[in-house]
């Protein structure tokens, strides 16, 4: 491949974990796991042999860098060589097997692929077509995640509302006393709304702390056969903040009905209870 | 008996007040039948009567806690019968203090916090001056050493004294007390009553006390007797 162009497509230089990304004639870049399997380090020479119906074609390369492409299988079978060396190895002088494009808007890939397929005599595939199963799985995951979030939100709202309804029933006499002392309906409502907000905010803080602890435990104890964490999970501060704001809002929302009930209590009746 | 203020208006004036419950239903019942009553600034009156005579209902109407079904009710000459909830709340804040049979203190708050609660509700915060005033009122009630105790740590008599301090801290012209000693033993009952008389004498606050205890009623300046929703007797105590 042409290193500079490929780098603009996939940001290869940012994936280098050892050595320096350089592809002069006679040089090559290996996936990190392939290098580990072969016992090869940066600066070593490796022989590459391509077997085809017309026979074996080989070349000798000096390894200039190791890359981590983010997927173990790719790291195990990736050898990047200069375009001319590749053309020679696969018997395609002046040609190429693939042309890859990168787009500013990734979601326009399908329509552009269709447009290019009509215009040029090549097989053009979008990343969605190449990864149809993955896209389908991600879509399903998005839907199920949204459903779970929605259900959790409803459960949270109902849970806080239940606590506040019980509180409203238990505190009726106190509410009556406060009303007798000149507390307005608005003040009573605000007390309950504030209580809902506090419950929501406190719950979100506890939830975030629990999530951080669980993520820590998961990444520490759930590891692959190579000893590395199976998944790389993190909780971005922005996300934690958004969750806290959302939970606080849910708390206020849950408090609306109990607050209105409390504010509408007849003070004389509430005191008599 | 002083029955009018310098502007010539009684503190409260009820005229032909009726109260009916379950209006329009088969169990409709009228518990007050055209009650007329005035109370002047500085009076110390007892409202007595048998159970079911309408005492608490009348007290709730005077306390703006329940609407009346008919008649007129004026506070300082202002008709309050047609006020909306916000108007009633403001009048309760400015004109009335309440003492209930069961002290109804907020259990999570200290004695001082309970007494500063009306100021908190009124203004959204408690100033240093208001806190100092609450301390003074509690000290006058003999509770200077119990400022930071919660209701659960106080005796029944002390709790009721805190409730009286809470009613008096905003210096309302009228305190309405519904059986304030009904839940106390005789000794505590005498203490609480003596304190109400003392605060009446020192602050000039009017008291209207609902009581079943004839012994305490006889020690009030005026006795109003309610029987079957009508005022049967209203007179100044015999010396």
């Amino acid at each position: 491949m042409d290193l500079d162009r490929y780098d603009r497509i996939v940001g290869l230089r940012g994936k280098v974990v050892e050595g320096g990304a350089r592809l002069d004639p006679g040089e090559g870049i290996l996936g990190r796991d392939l290098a580990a399997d072969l016992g090869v380090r940066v600066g070593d020479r490796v022989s590459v042999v391509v077997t085809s119906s017309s026979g074996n074609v080989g070349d000798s390369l000096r390894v200039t860098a190791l890359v981590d492409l983010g997927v173990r299988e790719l790291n195990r079978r990736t050898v990047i060589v200069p375009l001319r060396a590749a053309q020679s190895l696969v018997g395609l002088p002046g040609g190429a097997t693939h042309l890859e494009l990168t787009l500013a808007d990734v979601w326009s890939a399908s329509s552009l692929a269709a447009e290019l397929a009509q215009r040029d005599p090549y097989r053009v595939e979008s990343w969605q077509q190449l990864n149809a199963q993955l896209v389908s799985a991600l879509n399903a995951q998005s839907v199920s995640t949204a459903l779970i979030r929605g259900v959790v939100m409803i459960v949270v709202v109902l849970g806080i509302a239940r606590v506040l309804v019980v509180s409203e029933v238990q505190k009726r006499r106190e509410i009556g006393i406060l009303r007798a002392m000149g507390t307005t309906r608005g003040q009573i409502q605000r007390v309950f709304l504030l209580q809902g907000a506090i419950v929501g905010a406190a719950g979100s803080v506890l939830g975030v702390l629990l999530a951080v602890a669980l993520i820590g435990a998961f990444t520490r104890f759930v590891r692959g056969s190579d000893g590395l964490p199976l998944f790389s999970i993190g909780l971005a501060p922005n996300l934690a903040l958004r969750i806290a704001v959302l939970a606080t809002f849910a708390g206020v929302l849950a408090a609306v009905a109990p607050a209105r009930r409390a504010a509408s209590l007849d003070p004389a009746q509430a005191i008599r209870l | 008996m002083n029955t009018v203020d310098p502007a010539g208006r009684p503190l409260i004036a009820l005229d032909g007040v009726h109260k009916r419950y379950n209006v329009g239903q088969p169990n409709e019942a009228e518990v007050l039948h055209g009650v007329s009553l005035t109370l002047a600034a500085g009076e110390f009156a007892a409202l007595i009567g048998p159970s079911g005579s309408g005492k608490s209902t009348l007290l709730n109407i005077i306390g703006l806690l329940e609407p009346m079904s008919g008649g007129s009710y004026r506070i300082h000459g202002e008709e309050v019968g047609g006020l909306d909830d916000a108007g009633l709340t403001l009048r309760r804040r400015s004109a009335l203090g309440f003492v209930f049979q069961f002290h109804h203190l907020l259990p999570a708050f200290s004695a001082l916090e309970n007494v500063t609660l009306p100021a908190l509700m009124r203004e959204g915060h408690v100033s240093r001056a208001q806190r100092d005033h609450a301390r003074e009122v509690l000290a006058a009630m003999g509770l200077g050493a119990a400022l930071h105790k919660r209701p659960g740590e106080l005796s029944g008599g002390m709790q009721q004294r805190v409730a009286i301090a809470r009613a008096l801290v905003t210096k309302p012209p009228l305190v309405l007390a519904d059986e304030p000693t009904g839940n106390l033993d005789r000794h505590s009952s005498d203490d609480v009553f003596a304190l109400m008389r003392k605060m009446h004498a020192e602050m000039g606050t009017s008291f209207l006390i609902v009581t079943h205890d004839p012994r305490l009623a006889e020690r009030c300046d005026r006795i109003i007797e309610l029987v079957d929703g009508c005022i049967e007797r209203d007179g100044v105590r015999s010396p």
Side-chain angles (χ1 to χ4, degrees), chain A residues 8 10 23 29 37 58 75 105 109-110 113 129 140 143 156 167 170 205 214 220 228 234 249 256 268:
Chain A
R8 288 206 294 275
V10 300
L23 271 185
I29 297 172
D37 290 348
N75 286 341
D105 176 14
S110 291
Q129 289 168 297
V143 170
V156 165
S167 171
Q170 287 178 336
V205 169
L214 285 174
R220 181 168 179 186
L228 293 171
F249 174 73
V256 168

Side-chain angles (χ1 to χ4, degrees), chain B residues 22-131:
Chain B
N22 307 318
V23 175
Q25 294 175 25
N27 58 344
E28 178 174 335
E30 182 166 290
V31 294
L32 294 178
H33 311 291
V35 171
S36 296
L37 172 71
T38 60
L39 202 68
E43 281 204 85
F44 196 92
L47 179 60
I48 62 171
S51 294
S53 59
K55 301 188 298 296
S56 292
T57 301
L58 181 58
L59 203 72
N60 283 340
I61 288 172
I62 295 172
L64 303 176
L65 297 174
E66 275 190 66
M68 55 195 177
S69 307
S72 160
Y73 175 24
R74 293 174 184 274
I75 298 179
H76 287 310
E78 180 199 15
E79 176 61 49
V80 293
L83 291 175
D84 61 9
D85 185 75
L88 295 173
T89 302
L90 282 176
R91 300 312 181 283
R92 277 202 298 272
R93 277 186 188 177
S94 60
L96 302 167
F98 293 89
V99 181
F100 303 96
Q101 178 177 0
F102 301 99
H103 54 82
H104 291 331
L105 300 173
L106 301 190
F109 289 7
S110 69
L112 183 61
E113 287 166 340
N114 266 287
V115 174
T116 52
L117 204 55
L120 180 68
M121 289 294 125
R122 185 184 294 191
E123 292 164 32
H125 68 278
V126 181
S127 68
R128 180 181 291 272
Q130 286 164 332
R131 199 177 298 273

Side-chain angles (χ1 to χ4, degrees), chain B residues 49-227:
Chain B
S51 294
S53 59
K55 301 188 298 296
S56 292
T57 301
L58 181 58
L59 203 72
N60 283 340
I61 288 172
I62 295 172
L64 303 176
L65 297 174
E66 275 190 66
M68 55 195 177
S69 307
S72 160
Y73 175 24
R74 293 174 184 274
I75 298 179
H76 287 310
E78 180 199 15
E79 176 61 49
V80 293
L83 291 175
D84 61 9
D85 185 75
L88 295 173
T89 302
L90 282 176
R91 300 312 181 283
R92 277 202 298 272
R93 277 186 188 177
S94 60
L96 302 167
F98 293 89
V99 181
F100 303 96
Q101 178 177 0
F102 301 99
H103 54 82
H104 291 331
L105 300 173
L106 301 190
F109 289 7
S110 69
L112 183 61
E113 287 166 340
N114 266 287
V115 174
T116 52
L117 204 55
L120 180 68
M121 289 294 125
R122 185 184 294 191
E123 292 164 32
H125 68 278
V126 181
S127 68
R128 180 181 291 272
Q130 286 164 332
R131 199 177 298 273
D132 290 343
H133 177 59
R135 281 199 181 93
E136 284 169 17
V137 176
L138 279 166
M141 296 279 170
L143 293 167
L147 296 179
H148 302 294
K149 290 191 173 172
R150 293 189 178 183
E153 300 172 283
L154 303 174
S155 68
M158 291 167 91
Q159 288 173 346
Q160 200 58 304
R161 279 189 273 163
V162 175
I164 294 169
R166 183 179 62 185
L168 288 168
V169 75
T170 56
K171 301 176 185 167
L174 174 61
V175 168
L176 302 169
D178 191 0
E179 299 277 6
T181 60
N183 199 37
L184 303 177
D185 59 39
R186 186 173 178 139
H187 178 68
S188 300
S189 174
D190 286 346
D191 277 354
V192 165
F193 189 83
L195 268 172
M196 287 195 290
R197 287 241 61 146
K198 178 187 164 198
M199 302 315 287
H200 165 252
E202 288 178 1
M203 299 173 70
T205 306
S206 301
F207 278 79
L208 180 60
I209 302 167
V210 169
T211 182
H212 271 110
D213 187 344
R215 200 173 54 85
L216 295 183
E218 288 301 323
R219 288 155 66 185
C220 293
D221 298 334
R222 179 181 170 192
I223 299 173
I224 303 157
E225 185 175 8
L226 201 63
V227 178

Side-chain angles (χ1 to χ4, degrees), chain A:
Chain A
M1 65 178 58
D2 182 320
L3 180 62
D4 289 333
R5 287 182 176 178
Y6 194 62
D7 184 49
R8 288 206 294 275
I9 303 287
V10 300
L12 189 72
R13 286 195 165 91
K15 300 178 192 302
V16 171
V17 292
E18 197 179 329
R22 206 177 63 240
L23 271 185
D24 290 333
E27 293 180 335
I29 297 172
L30 265 58
R32 186 178 66 176
D33 294 298
L34 176 60
D37 290 348
L38 297 174
V40 172
R41 305 187 63 174
V42 171
D44 292 350
R45 295 197 75 83
V46 295
S47 291
V48 178
V49 178
V50 175
T51 303
S52 66
S53 54
S54 56
N56 293 342
V57 181
D59 198 354
S60 175
L61 304 169
R62 197 173 67 82
V63 178
T64 59
L66 306 182
V67 290
D68 179 2
L69 299 171
V71 180
R72 194 175 305 151
E73 279 309 305
L74 281 178
N75 286 341
R76 274 197 175 134
R77 55 190 169 97
T78 296
V79 178
I80 299 171
V81 297
L83 181 61
R84 283 187 183 282
Q87 287 168 338
S88 162
L89 284 167
V90 299
L92 200 63
T97 53
H98 289 81
L99 286 173
E100 293 186 12
L101 302 178
T102 189
L103 304 175
D105 176 14
V106 295
W107 303 107
S108 66
S110 291
S111 58
L112 182 65
E115 193 181 315
L116 290 175
Q118 281 192 333
R119 202 180 65 192
D120 299 312
Y122 303 121
R123 194 173 77 185
V124 185
E125 290 175 314
S126 65
W127 65 269
Q128 290 101 321
Q129 289 168 297
L130 284 171
N131 302 282
Q133 279 189 319
L134 177 66
V135 171
S136 171
L138 287 175
N139 281 338
Q141 189 186 34
S142 295
V143 170
S144 57
T145 302
L147 272 173
I148 291 169
R149 281 181 183 162
V151 170
V152 167
M153 180 64 83
I154 291 168
V155 169
V156 165
V157 167
L158 289 178
I160 296 176
R162 193 180 68 87
V163 169
L164 293 176
V165 165
V166 170
S167 171
E168 183 263 324
V169 171
Q170 287 178 336
K171 306 274 183 199
R172 279 187 176 180
R173 189 169 287 172
E174 281 90 341
I175 293 166
I177 300 299
L178 290 173
R179 294 277 290 126
M181 287 193 304
T183 307
T184 62
R185 289 189 196 278
Q187 285 175 311
I188 296 287
Q189 274 193 356
R190 283 196 288 279
V191 167
F192 273 80
L193 293 176
L194 184 65
Q195 192 180 355
I198 289 171
V199 171
S204 66
V205 169
L206 287 175
V208 166
L209 290 177
L210 186 64
V212 168
L214 285 174
I215 287 170
F218 193 80
T219 50
R220 181 168 179 186
F221 297 114
V222 182
R223 290 172 180 264
S225 54
D226 55 2
L228 293 171
L230 209 54
F231 300 104
S232 172
I233 312 173
L235 183 59
N238 273 351
L239 179 63
L241 188 66
R242 282 212 308 272
I243 291 167
V245 170
L246 193 65
T248 306
F249 174 73
V252 173
L253 190 69
V256 168
R260 293 182 71 166
R261 263 174 64 116
S264 64
L265 274 178
D266 172 28
Q269 201 177 8
I271 292 166
R272 268 199 299 268
L273 287 172

